Amino acid sequence: MQAIDQKLLRDFRRLWIQVFAIAMVLACGVAILLTSVGMYKALSETRTAYYERNRFADIFAHATRAPLSLLPEIERMNGVLGAEARIAEYAILDIDGYPRTAVGHIISLPKTSAPILNVPILVTGRYPDPASTHEVLVNAPFAAAHGFTIGDRFSANLKGRQRAFVIVGTVLSPEFIYTIGPGALMPDDAAFAIVWMAERAAAAAFDMTGAFNDVSLSLLPGVQPEPVIDALDTLLAPYGGQGAYGRDLQTSDAFLDAEINQLRGMSIILPPIFFGIAAFLVSMVMSRIITLERSEIGLLKALGYSNVEICLHYLMLAGLIAIVGVGIGWIAGTLMARSTAAQYADFFNFPYVIFHVSYWVYALAGIAGLATTSIGAAQAALKAARLAPAIAMQPPAPPRFKRSYIDDAMARMRLAQTTVMILRSLLRWPLRSFLTSLGLALAVASVIAATFINDALDEIVDLAFYQTNRQDAMLLFSEDIPQVAIEDVRNLPGVLQAEGQQFHAATLRHGHLSKRVAVEARRPDTDLSRVLDAKGQQVNVPAGGIVLSRRLASHLAIEPGETVEIAFLTGRRETHDVTVTDLVDLHFGLGAYMDFEALNTLFRQAPRVSTVNITLDANALDALHDVIKQTPQITGIVEMNENRRSFQETIEENIVVMNTIYIAVAVLITVGVTYNAARIQLSERARELASLRILGFGRGDVSYILIGEMMLIALIAQPFGWGIGAYIAHLMSTNFTSDLYEIPLVLKPATFTFASLVVLGAALMSVLVVRRRLDRLDLVSVMKTRE
């Protein structure tokens, strides 16, 4: 081994604390890149494999009642590979020992074989006997929530007839990876079930013999879905077709797709921040090492080492740092990705997870780590290579300082001498001070980017569950009922208030842009479900107009005052041109609101309602559930308190994990930046500080110079960190927003304060560690260093 290589290893051991501090920051970038890309790939590949193996359909459609003789015609449409008709309805379930109302999505199975599309995977048991009227399959999460095993029973109200079912199997289905009930915001496995039963039994129960009301289609490879959707709509129109749609609008796939897009956004936004900080730290440390090793560099050149060898020597030192950081990042990233993949599999009801982070992701992370440290060390290494041997063996020329107006200002302010020394150091090394401050600012930004989600979710909960939706529950009906039926609802046990609401599926078009949404119609004086503007004031939709959510208006590129074409898919299925009167902010879904009376007038019908919002006496809740279970017209109840509880529990669990990770990352960044900066300060100014001790300054005075400078830099970093953090939060808010939900950009002073306290605390602890070295400084040896 050559002498220069032995020196490399010796330097690496000597600088191990600084190397470790830099490597940990680099490891954070590598780990987050692997985790986000690994999770993104795992979810994407698992979804693709699950869909292919279980033949998940490409197009879905629902109709009121279509004859089975129509199915061959659907199968013959251009581009269609296969089609499967079935019966799908909602029903109220009655489960022993479960006081709440559970809703079942009943789906028929083919007469003679397993489904050819959306094939469920058997988890336990077997398929029902096609001739049986009581054997059913249920989705595995529902069975687990109630502790059901094979042979257990429950009953359901099917069109007014109470039917007892026996569970003969539990399954998972690609159609219900994210199982969410009608009107709900989060999955509730105990209150919402998917129930598969034999076609003959389903047809008899729902009066659908010889007919179907739900059809799924798979397409030939390369076929675009839009022409097939148009053709299918034409075929189903006479039979109450409610508009076919592709996978992008299928509820389960839409939620899963939004999550995958979030992970993809994280992999783009966050890792570059950590790689940038690591590059800065390497640059800072390498510059100082080369300044301190001028004489060694000169000696190496005098012994015959070339400029290239000198340059490579310092680049290899940076490379060793990269190897340590990348190695730690690979291990941590793999463990984090596996752990989070398992959590996602459980949350999304996957039967398996294909966790395979491609080698190219590891290679990309490794190359990024090496490139980061190489770029950081390049300038210092080239500077070392350019040093002439004779000059290198001389002590570096002392920096040239001159008195400026700032010195005069400090003199007039009568600042303490130690404070003047701190300020002079900052002003005479402005670039280094700025870069150190920038590193700490990024640490502040990472905490803000992680914790702003808390405030955003608080606003979502406040707006969704307290301001706009103030009802205790929503009663859902199998079909629109006359408005007078609201009086019957008011007579149900425990009901204090009842207000009706009408929903109609529709396609909104503006120019070449279109969007399928649910148009909600409500009275202007409603109190339980309201539309609010940005100031929290209730918006009343004028007759003949429509109010859109801001995101929906953005999709359609439409402004208030312009006309939107509404093609209703339910009701009279007519198309009308309506003026957009206002835009509102909405965090869940894409809202479109019309006046209740105006919509009924448009449909030329007596007032009808699809949903009734109610407030309840909590003491009568069990009695209400008992009545609902016996009322065939009601197909579901959405309890808002349960919705809110489920939403908060699920989100808070994820937030605690995410905040812990990012606060740990921020602390690592702070320690890496502060410790390295303080160590460099100490090594550069050891002689100066020792001189002060000899001149009579106490330990406290000398420590104050070191600690004061670093903490002043940390304080200067705070506003920069707030600004960068706000920008990253804006990027995350924009990238994480989808048709399903919006993450509002909410930045409160407490978020900035918390981020600053975390970083300032970590910076103080880091610099106190270096201060201990200052206290143990050997004054005699330090003063001899330059002689």
Side-chain angles (χ1 to χ4, degrees):
M1 180 181 291
Q2 293 187 28
I4 195 169
D5 297 325
Q6 294 181 9
K7 176 182 178 302
L8 173 66
L9 296 177
R10 191 171 60 245
D11 289 345
F12 187 69
R13 286 196 298 271
R14 178 171 56 87
L15 298 166
W16 74 269
I17 297 180
Q18 288 171 271
V19 166
F20 184 71
I22 299 169
M24 288 305 294
V25 175
L26 188 62
C28 289
V30 172
I32 289 180
L33 179 62
L34 282 179
T35 303
S36 52
V37 175
M39 279 304 311
Y40 161 66
K41 295 287 290 180
L43 279 186
S44 300
E45 291 177 2
T46 302
R47 178 177 67 168
T48 301
Y50 193 15
Y51 283 178
E52 287 179 356
R53 293 173 190 175
N54 294 76
R55 300 191 288 278
F56 185 52
D58 297 299
I59 294 175
F60 306 83
H62 198 75
T64 303
R65 180 187 171 92
L68 280 174
S69 58
L70 187 68
L71 186 60
E73 194 171 347
I74 294 174
E75 291 172 328
R76 287 195 297 269
M77 289 193 307
N78 288 333
V80 174
L81 176 63
E84 186 165 60
R86 59 188 184 177
I87 299 163
E89 292 284 357
Y90 289 99
I92 295 293
L93 307 183
D94 189 0
I95 301 166
D96 288 343
Y98 186 66
R100 292 173 57 200
T101 302
V103 178
H105 187 188
I106 311 293
I107 298 175
S108 67
L109 291 167
K111 287 180 181 175
T112 56
S113 62
I116 60 171
L117 297 177
N118 310 316
V119 182
I121 291 180
L122 268 177
V123 178
T124 59
R126 58 173 175 81
Y127 270 73
D129 182 341
S132 172
T133 58
H134 60 275
E135 292 183 350
V136 295
L137 295 172
V138 297
N139 58 320
F142 169 72
H146 291 281
F148 282 144
T149 57
I150 304 303
D152 284 342
R153 298 169 180 269
F154 64 94
S155 61
N157 189 331
L158 306 183
K159 291 285 186 181
R161 283 171 290 187
Q162 204 72 10
R163 299 282 295 274
F165 291 134
V166 177
I167 297 173
V168 297
T170 62
V171 296
L172 290 174
S173 167
E175 199 177 356
F176 302 102
I177 294 173
Y178 189 82
T179 312
I180 187 168
L185 298 175
M186 297 295 291
D188 187 343
D189 294 332
F192 183 62
I194 313 297
V195 181
W196 287 264
M197 61 189 297
E199 183 181 298
R200 180 182 299 177
F206 295 107
D207 192 23
M208 296 288 288
T209 302
F212 68 90
N213 64 1
D214 190 272
V215 63
S216 303
L217 278 66
S218 62
L219 302 180
L220 291 166
V223 172
Q224 294 300 312
E226 288 78 12
V228 181
I229 288 174
D230 292 340
L232 184 59
D233 282 342
T234 303
L235 284 177
L236 291 177
Y239 308 103
Q242 297 174 11
Y245 54 90
R247 283 184 182 178
D248 59 324
L249 294 180
Q250 201 266 345
T251 303
S252 170
D253 186 73
F255 274 97
L256 186 57
D257 200 55
E259 191 67 32
I260 290 173
N261 285 335
Q262 277 194 21
L263 291 170
R264 185 165 49 200
M266 282 179 60
S267 68
I268 295 172
I269 295 173
L270 295 178
I273 295 174
F274 299 105
F275 288 130
I277 296 171
F280 152 67
L281 288 175
V282 170
S283 174
M284 192 169 67
V285 171
M286 294 300 293
S287 297
R288 182 55 199 155
I289 290 173
I290 287 169
T291 301
L292 294 176
E293 293 187 351
R294 284 171 60 91
S295 58
E296 285 89 343
I297 294 170
L299 188 59
L300 288 170
K301 290 194 171 185
L303 290 172
Y305 287 102
S306 67
N307 291 345
V308 174
E309 288 173 310
I310 296 295
C311 183
L312 285 177
H313 168 71
Y314 288 104
L315 287 177
M316 287 171 66
L317 181 58
L320 289 177
I321 296 174
I323 290 171
V324 174
V326 169
I328 296 173
W330 278 353
I331 296 170
T334 303
L335 294 176
M336 287 168 58
R338 284 187 181 279
S339 171
T340 47
Q343 290 180 355
Y344 271 103
D346 185 52
F347 182 74
F348 278 112
N349 297 329
F350 280 112
Y352 48 80
V353 173
I354 300 176
F355 181 79
H356 172 65
V357 181
S358 303
Y359 293 123
W360 69 263
V361 181
Y362 285 94
L364 175 65
I367 291 170
L370 283 171
T372 294
T373 54
S374 298
I375 292 170
Q379 184 184 9
L382 290 173
K383 181 181 176 183
R386 285 196 294 263
L387 274 176
I391 296 175
M393 295 184 72
Q394 297 175 359
R400 297 181 63 184
F401 298 133
K402 61 181 180 180
R403 191 173 181 83
S404 68
Y405 66 91
I406 297 177
D407 293 281
D408 296 336
M410 287 190 291
R412 284 194 292 273
M413 293 169 69
R414 298 181 182 279
L415 298 174
Q417 196 168 5
T418 49
T419 303
V420 171
M421 293 175 71
I422 291 172
L423 296 175
R424 280 178 177 163
S425 177
L426 292 182
L427 295 171
R428 286 166 181 166
W429 301 97
L431 179 61
R432 189 170 66 188
S433 301
F434 170 74
L435 292 176
T436 305
S437 183
L438 179 62
L440 295 174
L442 291 173
V444 175
S446 70
V447 179
I448 292 173
T451 54
F452 97 95
I453 295 285
N454 298 359
D455 297 330
L457 292 175
D458 285 345
E459 179 173 305
I460 289 174
V461 169
D462 181 61
L463 188 64
F465 294 102
Y466 294 106
Q467 301 299 324
T468 57
N469 295 299
R470 304 196 292 185
Q471 68 275 50
D472 292 326
M474 299 166 61
L475 296 181
L476 311 178
F477 297 89
S478 55
E479 55 189 27
D480 290 356
I481 59 173
Q483 183 183 227
V484 293
I486 295 177
E487 287 303 318
D488 297 331
V489 172
R490 288 196 179 99
N491 293 326
L492 292 175
V495 173
L496 303 176
Q497 288 175 275
E499 293 178 351
Q501 206 172 340
Q502 197 173 163
F503 289 86
H504 286 285
T507 300
L508 272 57
R509 298 191 184 94
H510 180 242
H512 68 284
L513 301 172
S514 65
K515 205 71 181 176
R516 178 181 167 132
V517 297
V519 176
E520 300 180 36
R522 60 188 76 200
R523 294 185 179 280
D525 56 349
T526 54
D527 182 56
L528 301 182
S529 178
R530 307 184 302 169
V531 181
L532 302 179
D533 62 16
K535 296 179 181 177
Q537 301 298 316
Q538 185 163 356
V539 176
N540 290 323
V541 186
I546 186 169
V547 172
L548 303 180
S549 68
R550 211 170 294 281
R551 279 183 295 131
L552 176 57
S554 175
H555 278 296
L556 298 173
I558 196 168
E559 296 288 340
E562 296 184 279
T563 301
V564 63
E565 179 187 281
I566 307 176
F568 287 99
L569 302 171
T570 53
R572 287 189 173 272
R573 305 172 191 280
E574 296 171 339
T575 300
H576 298 274
D577 290 333
V578 180
T579 302
V580 177
T581 57
D582 204 351
L583 303 180
V584 295
D585 293 315
L586 191 70
H587 298 322
F588 285 116
L590 302 174
Y593 308 95
M594 294 185 70
D595 178 73
F596 185 79
E597 295 296 346
L599 185 66
N600 285 307
T601 302
L602 203 65
F603 282 0
R604 302 180 295 286
Q605 66 179 16
R608 303 180 72 81
V609 296
S610 314
T611 301
V612 177
N613 301 306
I614 56 177
T615 56
L616 294 167
D617 176 359
N619 296 321
L621 192 57
D622 290 348
L624 176 65
H625 281 297
D626 289 341
V627 173
I628 290 175
K629 290 174 183 176
Q630 307 301 323
T631 308
Q633 290 82 7
I634 299 176
T635 56
I637 177 171
V638 180
E639 294 181 73
M640 301 306 289
N641 288 335
E642 289 296 323
N643 248 328
R644 182 178 65 249
R645 181 192 56 77
S646 175
F647 179 81
Q648 288 180 313
E649 285 181 358
T650 305
I651 297 299
E652 283 173 3
E653 183 180 346
N654 294 333
I655 282 180
V656 167
V657 174
M658 189 176 76
N659 284 358
T660 303
I661 291 174
Y662 283 99
I663 289 172
V665 165
V667 170
L668 285 175
I669 294 173
T670 305
V671 170
V673 173
T674 310
Y675 182 81
N676 278 292
R679 286 283 291 118
I680 289 171
Q681 286 279 15
L682 181 60
S683 62
E684 282 183 347
R685 304 179 70 180
R687 182 182 174 84
E688 176 186 337
L689 298 175
S691 301
L692 291 174
R693 291 276 307 281
I694 293 170
L695 290 172
F697 283 80
R699 287 178 185 272
D701 295 326
V702 176
S703 298
Y704 170 67
I705 295 173
L706 181 69
I707 297 173
E709 181 173 341
M710 292 310 306
M711 293 311 295
L712 180 58
I713 290 175
L715 284 173
I716 292 171
Q718 300 311 305
F720 293 106
W722 298 339
I724 297 170
Y727 180 68
I728 294 174
H730 168 71
L731 287 179
M732 293 174 70
S733 170
T734 304
N735 281 280
F736 291 176
T737 295
S738 67
D739 287 356
L740 300 173
Y741 51 79
E742 173 192 51
I743 303 294
L745 180 61
V746 181
L747 296 168
K748 295 183 178 177
T751 303
F752 296 102
T753 305
F754 177 71
S756 294
L757 289 177
V758 169
V759 171
L760 290 173
L764 182 61
M765 296 302 295
S766 303
V767 76
L768 286 176
V769 172
V770 180
R771 177 187 176 275
R772 294 183 60 194
R773 301 176 70 95
L774 178 62
D775 289 342
R776 292 198 294 263
L777 211 60
D778 185 341
L779 302 182
V780 176
S781 63
V782 171
M783 295 303 293
K784 285 180 176 178
T785 301
R786 302 288 179 89
E787 300 193 1

